[in-house]
Amino acid sequence: MKRRDDIAVWHEGQQVGMLWRSPSGMIGFRYHTSWIQEGGFALSRSLPINRLEYGPESSAAHRFFANLLPEGAVRERIVRDLKIPDTDFDLLLALGGECAGALSVGEMPPATSGYRRLDTDELERLIAYRGHVYTSLAERDRPRLSLAGAQDKIPVYLKDGTMYLSEGDAPSSHILKFESADFRNVILYEAFTMHLAHAVGLPVARVELKGSSQNRYLVVSRYDREVDNDGCIRRIHQEDFCQALGIDADAKYEEHGGPSFPDCLRLVQDMSTEPTTDVLLLLKWQAFNVLAGNSDGHAKNLSMLYGMDGAVRLAPFYDLVCTRAIARIDHRLALFVGGERDPGQVSRRHWEALARACDVRPGLVLDMVTDVAVGLEARLDDVFEQFARLPALQRVCHVVRTQLRRFSR
């Protein structure tokens, strides 16, 4: 098969630009002149439209598009199953038809060729094998999808309670996330933590826990999709904070050289059309992470959403998991609080230091943390009851109650 060294980028059937790779494998990007002439938007804060071309040597384009790809063991499995070279360009070529946000990467304008019903037997196989059979489908039946992250997941279209798989590059409306072979109950913990966040007033992606205790899966509504009254799906552009800041996915953690919480806050101030509201939401998200035991709140778990009305807002929160309830993983905070990485040691002085680093009044931050703590104290048992007081969730409740006692002291 002839090696491809260029590929088009599309938005709703219009060509945005062209990707190409250098002999060393680095990716460059060039905006299409018609996209600029017809008032197209910049794909990213890191790829402003006042510049036509971002060559491979700058790495800006490579970082943006590589951040659309799966990570870790999921990426390794996809490369193995699809029998393609393990390069960012080849993965985009194979998977880029259905990405996070509104962009598609492919040889021609994405053809919304329709959907086929996911029958019960096929769904059960997907659940049992955590979606692994998905990449082994015949090429003609396999949608081209690129969902970033390290969890097994597949996109589906959900209509009137029935699930459909996309054919070709048809957009999805939901994501199915599956249990991890390495970390038992992670799907249950995510569902519980997301519901807990909603209970204390955080805007989150809607999630629903499905399946049996042996084969659970999560149905996540895509906030980057809009379904009209006729059931047609429109893609909505977004970029995560690594893309907006022009950094590699490998640097999503602060201790690995990634952005700090103040860096993320300043990004929201710069990009949001309602910065005051979104800054407060971001502060509340960090307070929730510390108190609810989510140490994995990193830069790729934050995104900016480009609305149809031209507004740019902090996206609903996603991938919230009480990671401190999971053994054998790092419990240090992805984004430090006032220089402190251990969530069990975060105190008033650390929140005050964080406030000063963000140029925010310390009293406002302390009040925010207190409000989240009060909300968790009031709603924890209610959410636990919603999950039928499943024994596996006692670990999560213990983590939250321990954090609340530490904060009250």
Coordinates of all heavy atoms in Angstrom, one line a residue, residues 179 182-193 196 288-296 320-333 343-344 380 384 390-403 406:
E179 N -15.5 -1.3 31.5 CA -14.7 -1.6 32.7 C -13.2 -1.8 32.3 O -12.9 -2.3 31.2 CB -15.2 -2.9 33.4 CG -16.4 -2.7 34.3 CD -16.0 -2.0 35.6 OE1 -14.9 -1.4 35.7 OE2 -16.8 -2.1 36.5
D182 N -7.6 -3.7 34.4 CA -6.6 -3.5 35.5 C -7.2 -2.9 36.8 O -6.6 -3.1 37.9 CB -5.5 -2.5 35.0 CG -4.7 -3.1 33.8 OD1 -4.5 -4.4 33.8 OD2 -4.4 -2.4 32.9
F183 N -8.2 -2.1 36.6 CA -8.8 -1.4 37.8 C -10.3 -1.7 37.9 O -11.1 -1.0 37.3 CB -8.5 0.1 37.6 CG -7.1 0.5 37.4 CD1 -6.6 1.0 36.2 CD2 -6.1 0.2 38.4 CE1 -5.3 1.3 36.0 CE2 -4.8 0.5 38.2 CZ -4.4 1.0 37.0
R184 N -10.6 -2.6 38.7 CA -12.0 -3.1 38.9 C -12.8 -1.9 39.5 O -12.3 -1.1 40.3 CB -12.0 -4.3 39.8 CG -13.4 -4.8 40.1 CD -13.4 -6.2 40.7 NE -14.7 -6.6 41.2 CZ -15.7 -7.1 40.4 NH1 -15.4 -7.1 39.0 NH2 -16.8 -7.4 40.8
N185 N -14.0 -1.8 39.0 CA -15.0 -0.9 39.5 C -14.8 0.6 39.1 O -15.5 1.5 39.5 CB -15.1 -0.9 41.1 CG -15.7 -2.2 41.6 OD1 -16.7 -2.7 41.0 ND2 -15.2 -2.7 42.7
V186 N -13.9 0.8 38.2 CA -13.6 2.2 37.8 C -14.8 2.8 37.1 O -15.1 4.0 37.3 CB -12.4 2.3 36.8 CG1 -12.6 1.6 35.5 CG2 -11.9 3.7 36.6
I187 N -15.6 2.0 36.4 CA -16.8 2.6 35.7 C -17.8 2.9 36.8 O -18.5 4.0 36.7 CB -17.4 1.5 34.7 CG1 -16.5 1.4 33.5 CG2 -18.8 1.9 34.3 CD1 -16.3 2.7 32.7
L188 N -18.0 2.1 37.8 CA -18.9 2.4 38.9 C -18.5 3.6 39.6 O -19.3 4.5 39.9 CB -19.0 1.2 39.8 CG -19.8 1.4 41.1 CD1 -21.3 1.6 40.7 CD2 -19.7 0.1 42.0
Y189 N -17.2 3.7 39.9 CA -16.7 4.9 40.6 C -16.9 6.2 39.8 O -17.2 7.2 40.3 CB -15.2 4.8 40.9 CG -14.8 3.7 41.9 CD1 -13.5 3.3 42.2 CD2 -15.8 3.0 42.7 CE1 -13.2 2.4 43.1 CE2 -15.5 2.1 43.6 CZ -14.2 1.7 43.8 OH -13.9 0.8 44.7
E190 N -16.7 6.1 38.5 CA -16.9 7.3 37.6 C -18.4 7.7 37.6 O -18.7 8.9 37.8 CB -16.4 7.0 36.2 CG -16.6 8.2 35.3 CD -16.0 8.0 33.9 OE1 -15.3 7.1 33.7 OE2 -16.3 8.9 33.0
A191 N -19.3 6.7 37.5 CA -20.7 7.1 37.5 C -21.1 7.8 38.8 O -21.8 8.8 38.8 CB -21.5 5.8 37.3
F192 N -20.6 7.2 39.9 CA -20.9 7.8 41.2 C -20.4 9.2 41.4 O -21.0 10.1 41.9 CB -20.4 6.8 42.3 CG -20.8 7.2 43.7 CD1 -22.0 7.0 44.2 CD2 -19.9 7.9 44.5 CE1 -22.4 7.4 45.5 CE2 -20.2 8.3 45.8 CZ -21.5 8.0 46.3
T193 N -19.1 9.3 41.0 CA -18.4 10.6 41.2 C -19.1 11.7 40.3 O -19.2 12.8 40.7 CB -16.9 10.5 40.9 OG1 -16.3 9.4 41.6 CG2 -16.2 11.8 41.2
L196 N -22.3 12.7 41.9 CA -22.0 13.5 43.1 C -21.6 14.9 42.7 O -22.0 15.9 43.4 CB -20.8 12.8 43.9 CG -20.6 13.2 45.3 CD1 -21.8 13.0 46.2 CD2 -19.4 12.5 45.9
F288 N -13.8 20.4 44.3 CA -14.5 19.1 44.3 C -13.5 18.0 44.1 O -13.5 16.9 44.8 CB -15.5 19.0 43.1 CG -16.2 17.7 43.0 CD1 -17.3 17.4 43.7 CD2 -15.7 16.8 42.1 CE1 -17.9 16.1 43.6 CE2 -16.3 15.5 41.9 CZ -17.4 15.2 42.7
N289 N -12.5 18.1 43.2 CA -11.5 17.1 43.0 C -10.8 16.7 44.3 O -10.6 15.6 44.6 CB -10.5 17.5 42.0 CG -11.0 17.5 40.5 OD1 -11.9 16.8 40.2 ND2 -10.4 18.3 39.7
V290 N -10.4 17.7 45.0 CA -9.6 17.5 46.3 C -10.5 16.8 47.3 O -10.1 15.8 47.9 CB -9.1 18.8 46.8 CG1 -8.4 18.6 48.2 CG2 -8.0 19.4 45.9
L291 N -11.7 17.3 47.5 CA -12.6 16.8 48.5 C -13.2 15.4 48.2 O -13.5 14.6 49.0 CB -13.7 17.8 48.8 CG -13.2 19.1 49.4 CD1 -14.4 20.1 49.6 CD2 -12.6 18.9 50.8
A292 N -13.5 15.2 46.9 CA -14.1 14.0 46.4 C -13.1 12.9 46.0 O -13.5 11.8 45.5 CB -15.1 14.2 45.3
G293 N -11.8 13.2 46.1 CA -10.8 12.1 45.9 C -10.5 11.9 44.4 O -9.9 10.9 44.1
N294 N -10.7 12.9 43.6 CA -10.3 12.8 42.2 C -9.0 13.4 42.0 O -8.9 14.6 41.8 CB -11.3 13.4 41.2 CG -10.9 13.3 39.8 OD1 -10.2 12.4 39.4 ND2 -11.3 14.3 39.0
S295 N -7.9 12.6 42.0 CA -6.6 13.1 41.8 C -6.2 13.2 40.4 O -5.1 13.7 40.1 CB -5.5 12.2 42.6 OG -5.7 12.4 44.0
D296 N -7.0 12.8 39.4 CA -6.7 12.7 38.0 C -7.3 13.9 37.2 O -7.5 13.7 36.0 CB -7.1 11.4 37.4 CG -6.3 11.0 36.2 OD1 -5.1 11.2 36.2 OD2 -6.9 10.5 35.2
L320 N -14.7 12.4 35.7 CA -14.5 12.6 37.1 C -14.6 11.2 37.8 O -15.6 10.5 37.7 CB -15.5 13.5 37.7 CG -15.6 15.0 37.2 CD1 -16.8 15.7 37.8 CD2 -14.3 15.7 37.5
V321 N -13.5 10.8 38.5 CA -13.5 9.5 39.1 C -12.8 9.7 40.5 O -11.8 10.4 40.6 CB -12.6 8.5 38.3 CG1 -12.7 7.1 39.0 CG2 -13.1 8.4 36.9
C322 N -13.3 9.1 41.5 CA -12.7 9.0 42.8 C -11.5 8.1 42.7 O -11.6 6.9 43.1 CB -13.6 8.6 44.0 SG -12.8 8.6 45.6
T323 N -10.4 8.6 42.2 CA -9.2 7.7 42.0 C -8.5 7.3 43.3 O -7.8 6.3 43.3 CB -8.2 8.5 41.1 OG1 -7.8 9.7 41.8 CG2 -8.7 8.8 39.8
R324 N -8.8 8.0 44.4 CA -8.2 7.6 45.6 C -8.8 6.4 46.2 O -8.2 5.8 47.2 CB -8.2 8.8 46.6 CG -7.4 10.0 46.2 CD -7.3 11.0 47.3 NE -6.4 10.5 48.4 CZ -6.3 11.0 49.6 NH1 -7.1 12.0 49.9 NH2 -5.5 10.5 50.5
A325 N -9.9 5.9 45.7 CA -10.5 4.7 46.1 C -10.0 3.5 45.3 O -10.3 2.3 45.6 CB -12.0 4.7 45.9
I326 N -9.1 3.7 44.4 CA -8.5 2.7 43.5 C -7.1 2.4 44.0 O -6.3 3.3 44.0 CB -8.6 3.1 42.0 CG1 -10.0 3.5 41.6 CG2 -8.0 2.0 41.2 CD1 -10.0 4.1 40.2
A327 N -6.8 1.1 44.3 CA -5.5 0.8 44.7 C -4.5 0.8 43.5 O -5.0 0.7 42.4 CB -5.5 -0.6 45.4
R328 N -3.3 0.9 43.8 CA -2.2 0.7 42.8 C -2.1 1.8 41.8 O -1.6 1.6 40.7 CB -2.3 -0.6 42.1 CG -2.2 -1.9 43.0 CD -2.3 -3.2 42.2 NE -3.6 -3.4 41.6 CZ -3.8 -3.3 40.3 NH1 -2.8 -3.0 39.4 NH2 -5.0 -3.5 39.8
I329 N -2.7 3.0 42.1 CA -2.4 4.1 41.2 C -2.0 5.3 42.0 O -2.1 5.3 43.3 CB -3.7 4.5 40.4 CG1 -4.8 5.0 41.3 CG2 -4.2 3.4 39.6 CD1 -6.0 5.6 40.6
D330 N -1.4 6.3 41.4 CA -0.8 7.5 42.0 C -1.9 8.3 42.5 O -2.8 8.7 41.8 CB 0.0 8.2 41.0 CG 0.9 9.3 41.6 OD1 0.6 9.7 42.8 OD2 1.8 9.8 40.9
H331 N -1.9 8.6 43.8 CA -3.0 9.5 44.4 C -2.6 10.9 44.5 O -3.3 11.7 45.0 CB -3.3 8.9 45.8 CG -4.0 7.6 45.8 ND1 -4.2 6.8 46.9 CD2 -4.6 6.9 44.7 CE1 -4.9 5.7 46.6 NE2 -5.1 5.8 45.3
R332 N -1.4 11.3 44.0 CA -1.1 12.7 44.0 C -1.9 13.5 43.0 O -2.3 13.0 42.0 CB 0.4 12.9 43.7 CG 1.3 12.3 44.8 CD 2.8 12.3 44.4 NE 3.0 11.4 43.3 CZ 4.2 11.3 42.7 NH1 5.3 12.0 43.2 NH2 4.4 10.5 41.7
L333 N -2.1 14.8 43.3 CA -3.0 15.6 42.5 C -2.3 15.9 41.2 O -1.1 16.2 41.1 CB -3.2 16.9 43.2 CG -4.1 16.8 44.5 CD1 -4.1 18.2 45.2 CD2 -5.6 16.5 44.1
P343 N -3.3 15.3 48.3 CA -4.7 15.8 48.7 C -5.0 15.7 50.2 O -5.8 16.4 50.7 CB -5.6 15.0 47.8 CG -4.9 13.7 47.5 CD -3.4 14.1 47.4
G344 N -4.3 14.7 50.9 CA -4.6 14.6 52.3 C -3.9 15.6 53.1 O -4.2 15.7 54.3
L380 N -24.0 13.4 50.0 CA -23.3 12.1 49.8 C -24.2 10.9 50.0 O -24.2 10.0 49.2 CB -22.1 12.0 50.7 CG -21.2 10.8 50.6 CD1 -20.6 10.6 49.2 CD2 -20.1 10.8 51.7
F384 N -25.4 8.0 47.3 CA -25.2 6.6 47.7 C -26.5 5.8 47.6 O -26.5 4.7 47.1 CB -24.6 6.6 49.1 CG -24.0 5.2 49.5 CD1 -23.5 4.3 48.5 CD2 -23.9 4.9 50.8 CE1 -23.0 3.1 48.9 CE2 -23.4 3.7 51.2 CZ -22.9 2.8 50.2
L390 N -24.5 0.3 47.0 CA -23.7 -0.8 46.5 C -22.4 -0.9 47.4 O -21.7 0.1 47.6 CB -23.2 -0.6 45.1 CG -24.4 -0.8 44.0 CD1 -23.9 -0.3 42.6 CD2 -24.9 -2.2 44.0
P391 N -22.1 -2.1 47.9 CA -20.9 -2.2 48.8 C -19.6 -1.7 48.2 O -18.8 -1.1 48.9 CB -20.8 -3.7 49.0 CG -22.2 -4.2 48.8 CD -22.8 -3.3 47.7
A392 N -19.4 -1.8 46.9 CA -18.2 -1.4 46.3 C -18.0 0.1 46.4 O -16.9 0.6 46.3 CB -18.1 -1.8 44.8
L393 N -19.1 0.9 46.6 CA -19.0 2.3 46.7 C -18.7 2.8 48.1 O -18.5 4.0 48.3 CB -20.3 3.0 46.2 CG -20.6 2.9 44.7 CD1 -22.0 3.4 44.4 CD2 -19.6 3.7 44.0
Q394 N -18.6 1.9 49.1 CA -18.2 2.3 50.4 C -16.8 2.8 50.5 O -16.5 3.7 51.3 CB -18.4 1.1 51.4 CG -19.8 0.6 51.6 CD -20.0 -0.6 52.4 OE1 -19.0 -1.2 52.8 NE2 -21.2 -0.9 52.8
R395 N -16.0 2.3 49.6 CA -14.6 2.9 49.5 C -14.6 4.3 49.1 O -13.9 5.2 49.7 CB -13.7 2.1 48.5 CG -13.4 0.6 49.0 CD -12.6 -0.1 47.9 NE -11.3 0.5 47.6 CZ -10.2 0.2 48.3 NH1 -10.2 -0.7 49.2 NH2 -9.1 0.8 48.0
V396 N -15.4 4.7 48.1 CA -15.5 6.1 47.7 C -16.1 6.9 48.8 O -15.5 8.0 49.1 CB -16.4 6.2 46.4 CG1 -16.6 7.6 46.0 CG2 -15.8 5.4 45.3
C397 N -17.1 6.5 49.5 CA -17.7 7.2 50.5 C -16.7 7.5 51.7 O -16.7 8.5 52.3 CB -19.0 6.5 51.1 SG -20.4 6.5 49.9
H398 N -15.9 6.5 51.9 CA -14.9 6.6 53.0 C -13.9 7.7 52.6 O -13.5 8.5 53.5 CB -14.2 5.3 53.2 CG -13.1 5.3 54.2 ND1 -13.2 5.5 55.5 CD2 -11.7 5.3 53.9 CE1 -12.0 5.5 56.1 NE2 -11.1 5.4 55.2
V399 N -13.5 7.7 51.4 CA -12.5 8.7 50.9 C -13.1 10.1 51.1 O -12.5 11.0 51.6 CB -12.1 8.4 49.4 CG1 -11.3 9.7 48.9 CG2 -11.2 7.2 49.3
V400 N -14.3 10.3 50.6 CA -15.0 11.6 50.7 C -15.1 12.0 52.1 O -14.8 13.2 52.5 CB -16.3 11.6 50.0 CG1 -17.0 12.9 50.1 CG2 -16.1 11.2 48.5
R401 N -15.6 11.1 53.0 CA -15.8 11.5 54.4 C -14.5 11.8 55.1 O -14.4 12.8 55.9 CB -16.6 10.4 55.1 CG -18.0 10.2 54.7 CD -18.8 9.3 55.6 NE -20.2 9.2 55.1 CZ -20.7 8.2 54.5 NH1 -20.0 7.1 54.3 NH2 -22.0 8.2 54.2
T402 N -13.5 11.1 54.7 CA -12.1 11.4 55.3 C -11.7 12.8 54.9 O -11.2 13.6 55.7 CB -11.1 10.3 54.9 OG1 -11.6 9.0 55.4 CG2 -9.7 10.6 55.5
Q403 N -11.8 13.1 53.6 CA -11.4 14.4 53.2 C -12.2 15.5 53.8 O -11.7 16.6 54.1 CB -11.5 14.5 51.6 CG -10.4 13.8 50.9 CD -9.1 14.4 51.2 OE1 -8.4 13.9 52.1 NE2 -8.7 15.4 50.4
R406 N -10.9 16.1 57.3 CA -9.7 16.9 57.3 C -9.9 18.3 57.0 O -9.3 19.2 57.6 CB -8.8 16.3 56.2 CG -8.1 14.9 56.5 CD -7.5 14.3 55.3 NE -6.8 13.1 55.7 CZ -6.4 12.1 54.8 NH1 -6.8 12.2 53.6 NH2 -5.8 11.1 55.2

